Amino acid sequence: MALTQQFARITPEYLEQCRARAADSPGAAPDWDPPPDDRLDTDWAIWGLLRHCRATAAGADLITLLDRAISGDPGGDVDFLDHVEVYDGFEAPPQLLTAAAVADIARALAFVDLQGALADLPPTTEEAAAACGFGRGFNGDVRAYLVHHFTAMREFYDGAARHGHCVIVWTD
């Protein structure tokens, strides 16, 4: 079973509603169901981008930014989302990025020079896939794959920031 990076942008009010529903439910079900337009699946792309950045000694700020964008912040008090209704339980439970954190991340993502970060990406698909940890079975253009998913993540965070939303991140 392949795991992928998931995101959901939600209002602080929706988060509190889910918390209250989990507290009132016999099975602690948060009734988690953000609209499809407020969800994002970046597949393995950002993990691959992070691996490439670490291997090529990309700037520490970029690595820290990407890691935070996909890992969330500690202490977000969203333990009630550690539920089968939200994710499959194979990896760490969902983590929260507050609206203020989302705004910070969105601002920083807007200034990422992705082409510069990918300048050292090997030219062949097989070498580029290996550099990103995708393995032999990867088909397609690695650079385009990374750019597509990074751009989607940047736009997702920008939209969340413009609307004052929080972001929940998890692997599923």
Side-chain angles (χ1 to χ4, degrees):
M1 171 183 225
L3 299 175
T4 63
Q5 180 64 53
Q6 304 289 315
F7 303 84
R9 54 185 171 209
I10 58 172
T11 65
E13 295 80 17
Y14 181 76
L15 187 63
E16 290 309 312
Q17 289 170 1
C18 289
R19 183 186 318 275
R21 285 191 295 261
D24 291 341
S25 166
D31 196 22
W32 174 257
D33 193 23
D37 289 347
D38 287 326
R39 294 180 183 217
L40 176 67
D41 180 341
T42 59
D43 210 20
W44 317 287
I46 307 305
W47 302 334
L49 178 59
L50 259 168
R51 182 178 174 142
H52 171 71
C53 288
R54 287 184 176 120
T56 60
D61 289 345
L62 174 58
I63 292 168
T64 300
L65 170 64
L66 293 173
D67 190 46
R68 184 180 186 202
I70 65 170
S71 300
D73 287 336
D77 190 26
V78 290
D79 292 343
F80 65 94
L81 293 177
D82 188 356
H83 192 276
V84 69
E85 186 179 89
V86 180
Y87 84 117
D88 62 18
F90 284 118
E91 292 286 321
Q95 294 294 313
L96 171 69
L97 288 159
T98 65
V102 168
D104 291 343
I105 291 169
R107 266 191 305 278
L109 287 172
F111 290 102
V112 169
D113 174 13
L114 187 58
Q115 294 308 318
L118 295 175
D120 293 333
L121 191 66
T124 68
T125 296
E126 187 173 300
E127 292 172 324
C132 294
F134 297 151
R136 291 190 153 133
F138 185 87
N139 293 317
D141 182 331
V142 174
R143 181 181 301 272
Y145 175 77
L146 296 174
V147 168
H148 169 76
H149 287 290
F150 175 83
T151 302
M153 184 179 73
R154 180 175 15 210
E155 290 171 358
F156 186 85
Y157 270 96
D158 180 61
R162 281 185 285 109
H163 293 98
H165 289 170
C166 301
V167 169
I168 301 293
V169 298
W170 74 99
T171 301
D172 204 12

